[in-house]
Amino acid sequence: MHLCLVKLDFISTLTLCFFAQALCAQGVPVGQWRSHLPFNETHSIAILNDEIMAASNYGLLRFNSSENIISDFTKVDGLNGVELTEIESSPNGIDVLLGYEDGLMELWNSDIIREIPDIPQSGKYPGRSSINAFVFDGEDRAFAATGFGVVELDLLYGVVKGTYLLKDDGNTTETYNVDIDNDSLYVAAETGLWSASLGDPLYLFSSWNQCQRWADTAVNDISISGADYLVSKNESGAIWLKKDGIWLEMYLNNSDKFEVRRISKTDNGYLVIRDFDIIYIDTLGIQRQVYSSGLSNNDNFSPRDAKISSNGVLWIANAGKGISFIDNPDYVQHRKISGPPSSSVFEVSSSLHGIEVFSGAIDPTWTATYCNEGVFLFNQENWSVLSSEKLNDAKDILAKVVDPSDTSHWFVSSWGKGVLEFKDGELETVWDNTNSSLMSASGSTTNDVRTGGLCWGEDGALWVTNALSNSPLHRFNPTTGQWKAFGLGAFNGLSIKNIIQGSDGVFWIQSRTNGLMAVKIQESTVNLRRLTTGVDNGNLPSSSVNSYVFDKDDELWIGTSDGLVVSFTPGNAMNGNSIDAQALLVEENGIVQKVLSGENVLAIAVDGANRKWIGTSDGGLFLLSYDGLETLAHFTQSNSPLLSNRINSLAIDPLTGELFIGTSQGLISYRSDAVDPFDDFSNIQVFPNPYEPKDFGAMSIKGLIDGSYVKVTNTSGRLIFEGPATGGQFSWTTNGLDGSPAPSGIYLFWVTNPLGTLNTVVQGVIVRGE
């Protein structure tokens, strides 16, 4: 099929435009996921032939020392779990065993990740399935220390071959570490030190021997070298060496018994990894070297694991610093990646500053949790932190709003310390009950000022909600510096939090268990309308409103603890007509059902195409059509890289369409195929451009007018693909109409607005691999 097109005399001009576009940041391709997690707090290390790996709770850090490149590797990249607890490399330096909190194990190499799901699938040891340590017995056999006992792995087939509980009554025993020397397996456990010959039937309790010196004493680590043992005790942090049949306590470096994190065997001795140092001792128990924060470039040293590579370099899993290494005895180097300092995500929002993550939290009863990890900002692909010190040690920061007339001027709310005003990045004023109209929470201490929601009003003022106050709503005029308080009738004295403003100037305020309140302020007059349960009272399925948002048609979408509803007429709030919310009804197999009925809806976001992203407490993430009647996608932990099925918060970057998803396990994002539409075609950008073999996902154009239609052709005018834009963006899988990949070459995107009165053409390049 061909199209009749205008002459292509302008190809040379388009080529110049292409090179200009290629210089721009192209972002993550449409349809791709990425995680935003604190990888730099690592706890275990593995040395491979061509790279170093360190494990955090959230995934892997991979460091190629020859190219000096560090990267992360997570569920987005192919891991099958989160809460990673242990990694260990095989003797061949090619494979790595990974263990997780729920008992999942994986055998990883650069070609494939083989899942070993036997433990979590069995469901036999809930809460005691954590993988604590591995030891390889050759390439095809390994043992894992777990929260319930020892398991034997057949790595050739990727299965658990045996489970050994170390108790004759069949009850569980937590095991902390395993080691192999000669033909024996050694186990450090909560009941002491155990051993068995690898040639004996390990499933028989009679095959196991308990060391009487440590009988019924918790031993948290062990390393065996010939007839010598080195062990550490859980209770005291002491290290004991068995030499020539005699147990001797080691007094290392000083008398303080810091917690022993690991014992790692080397060719000529042992590494003892403690909270604040690493001590190298030889096989005679003589201390030879100490690595601590006293070394250059090694402040706040917090080692968690360490190993020495064949070239003598000491590699360290270092809490807060990623991967550290020492190839000079006087200096430490660190390799880490940019990321948030914590996985805590109570709220995520989009502001004029970028994507902001609020780690501060309140519990389900809206009681303070006293979190002071700060606010994390993601802007231009980098993370920065508004720390507790910058916040005057205010805790539970729940919201932020930027002055639209001056982006260097902004405010944050604290659930306990009032409102903090910033200018040029510095704290200027703390507004509380001593210098503003804000009030302390009734029934609490006088300095407990709980502010939750912030809104920059159409009147150019800051509006603030004040929980458990007889004046729950406050207005701050930044020009005069004056505050004014307003009562809210039935909401006076209640726990309230979020606030948004509709296009008609009406504020909508959320309570914990009493629905929503519509508020219209005219000078000193306060008009109120409540939205709660019951016909003619709001018709909500539950008065517990978790989330609510206006869409592009000024409809109010409301997520409750008992499903999703929509108020199609929120503009009636102040005229007395109905504002009752309605459930969305769809027919499936002849049965009419409510959309998301019974789901606990925690978060709602509206994208550039007016579609609704819905986050639930345990059902994952839904994408609904603009009217909510069609489920376009449903992402869960099992069918996508989602870290958890609990979605606490959602925010969309309006410029890129990237959806940021705050889960109970941390932050992840997905680049949607929709962005906010534009008024003209002057800001069109093709990305990724060129589309190369390393790229996955779609090739996209953003900067389109709403309702645009796009035809993709080659330079000869042959139609390759066509379709409508989604909001201000069009995405192409790079396949033709027949589904086959389009070959390398230059492609033209012919764009027309809905009325056919505006047209443009832009160019993209595809470069295929061999």
Side-chain angles (χ1 to χ4, degrees), residues 554-620:
D554 285 333
E555 296 171 351
L556 185 61
W557 291 66
I558 304 167
T560 77
S561 60
D562 189 23
L564 175 72
V565 291
V566 185
S567 174
F568 294 101
T569 57
N572 287 339
M574 294 301 137
N575 64 23
N577 293 328
S578 176
I579 57 172
D580 276 5
Q582 305 296 323
L584 301 170
L585 302 178
V586 294
E587 183 177 333
E588 293 185 12
N589 300 321
I591 301 175
V592 177
Q593 299 179 350
K594 296 178 181 180
V595 174
L596 299 182
S597 176
E599 291 282 359
N600 187 6
V601 178
L602 300 183
I604 307 173
V606 178
D607 70 15
N610 205 24
R611 303 176 305 182
K612 282 70 181 182
W613 292 87
I614 310 295
T616 66
S617 64
D618 56 15

Side-chain angles (χ1 to χ4, degrees), residues 235-302:
E235 298 88 356
S236 64
I239 297 291
W240 291 76
L241 175 68
K242 184 181 182 182
K243 188 73 176 173
D244 299 326
I246 301 173
W247 288 98
L248 302 171
E249 184 174 2
M250 300 285 96
Y251 292 93
L252 303 177
N253 195 34
N254 55 48
S255 59
D256 293 329
K257 293 189 174 68
F258 299 127
E259 181 177 352
V260 175
R261 296 287 181 172
R262 297 263 182 150
I263 301 173
S264 179
K265 186 162 46 181
T266 71
D267 289 341
N268 301 305
Y270 308 92
L271 295 173
V272 179
I273 297 98
R274 303 193 296 178
D275 271 334
F276 304 108
D277 61 14
I278 298 172
I279 301 172
Y280 170 54
I281 62 174
D282 64 19
T283 54
L284 298 176
I286 299 173
Q287 179 178 307
R288 295 297 185 183
Q289 181 73 45
V290 177
Y291 305 93
S292 69
S293 57
L295 298 179
S296 297
N297 195 40
N298 205 30
D299 295 339
N300 301 316
F301 189 43
S302 299

Side-chain angles (χ1 to χ4, degrees), residues 697-709:
M699 191 176 194
S700 303
I701 314 173
K702 68 177 182 179
L704 306 183
I705 298 169
D706 193 20
S708 293
Y709 198 83

Side-chain angles (χ1 to χ4, degrees), residues 134 205 217 297 590 624 767:
F134 291 112
F205 179 73
T217 299
N297 195 40
L624 304 182
V767 180

Side-chain angles (χ1 to χ4, degrees), residues 223-439:
S223 186
I224 311 294
S225 181
D228 301 334
Y229 300 14
L230 191 69
V231 304
S232 67
K233 287 175 55 180
N234 253 0
E235 298 88 356
S236 64
I239 297 291
W240 291 76
L241 175 68
K242 184 181 182 182
K243 188 73 176 173
D244 299 326
I246 301 173
W247 288 98
L248 302 171
E249 184 174 2
M250 300 285 96
Y251 292 93
L252 303 177
N253 195 34
N254 55 48
S255 59
D256 293 329
K257 293 189 174 68
F258 299 127
E259 181 177 352
V260 175
R261 296 287 181 172
R262 297 263 182 150
I263 301 173
S264 179
K265 186 162 46 181
T266 71
D267 289 341
N268 301 305
Y270 308 92
L271 295 173
V272 179
I273 297 98
R274 303 193 296 178
D275 271 334
F276 304 108
D277 61 14
I278 298 172
I279 301 172
Y280 170 54
I281 62 174
D282 64 19
T283 54
L284 298 176
I286 299 173
Q287 179 178 307
R288 295 297 185 183
Q289 181 73 45
V290 177
Y291 305 93
S292 69
S293 57
L295 298 179
S296 297
N297 195 40
N298 205 30
D299 295 339
N300 301 316
F301 189 43
S302 299
R304 295 295 179 262
D305 190 16
K307 288 183 172 65
I308 298 177
S309 59
S310 59
N311 60 355
V313 177
L314 178 64
W315 297 94
I316 304 162
N318 194 350
K321 295 192 176 182
I323 296 175
S324 301
F325 64 96
I326 302 174
D327 54 7
N328 177 323
D330 300 319
Y331 189 80
V332 182
Q333 298 187 59
H334 310 284
R335 297 294 183 269
K336 59 183 181 179
I337 62 174
S338 177
S342 169
S343 64
S344 298
V345 185
F346 174 74
E347 187 77 28
V348 57
S349 68
S350 176
S351 81
L352 295 173
H353 288 168
I355 298 296
E356 287 168 318
V357 177
F358 301 90
S359 60
I362 52 179
D363 68 17
T365 65
W366 290 18
T367 300
T369 60
Y370 304 103
C371 173
N372 64 349
E373 293 180 329
V375 180
F376 319 141
L377 173 66
F378 185 64
N379 184 34
Q380 297 182 347
E381 299 300 306
N382 286 304
W383 285 94
S384 58
V385 180
L386 183 63
S387 66
S388 174
E389 292 76 15
K390 287 275 189 179
L391 291 164
N392 197 36
D393 203 32
K395 298 175 175 61
D396 297 318
I397 305 298
L398 302 187
K400 174 180 171 182
V401 67
V402 180
D403 183 344
S405 65
D406 179 6
T407 57
S408 69
H409 182 217
W410 41 276
F411 300 80
V412 298
S413 64
S414 165
W415 198 258
K417 296 295 182 182
V419 174
L420 285 68
E421 181 178 7
F422 287 80
K423 180 69 176 177
D424 296 322
E426 298 297 327
L427 180 61
E428 194 167 75
T429 309
V430 177
W431 298 104
D432 55 27
N433 58 331
T434 66
N435 59 357
S436 73
S437 60
L438 296 171
M439 299 179 179

Side-chain angles (χ1 to χ4, degrees), residues 28-34 76 613 635 640-641 656-659 669-674 687-688 696-700 729 731-733:
V28 180
V30 167
Q32 295 300 292
W33 297 79
R34 59 174 168 170
V76 169
W613 292 87
F635 297 115
S640 76
T656 67
E658 190 167 8
L659 175 71
S669 63
Y670 174 78
R671 185 149 187 180
S672 161
D673 59 354
F687 67 96
F696 296 92
M699 191 176 194
S700 303
Q729 185 165 275
S731 294
W732 174 38
T733 63

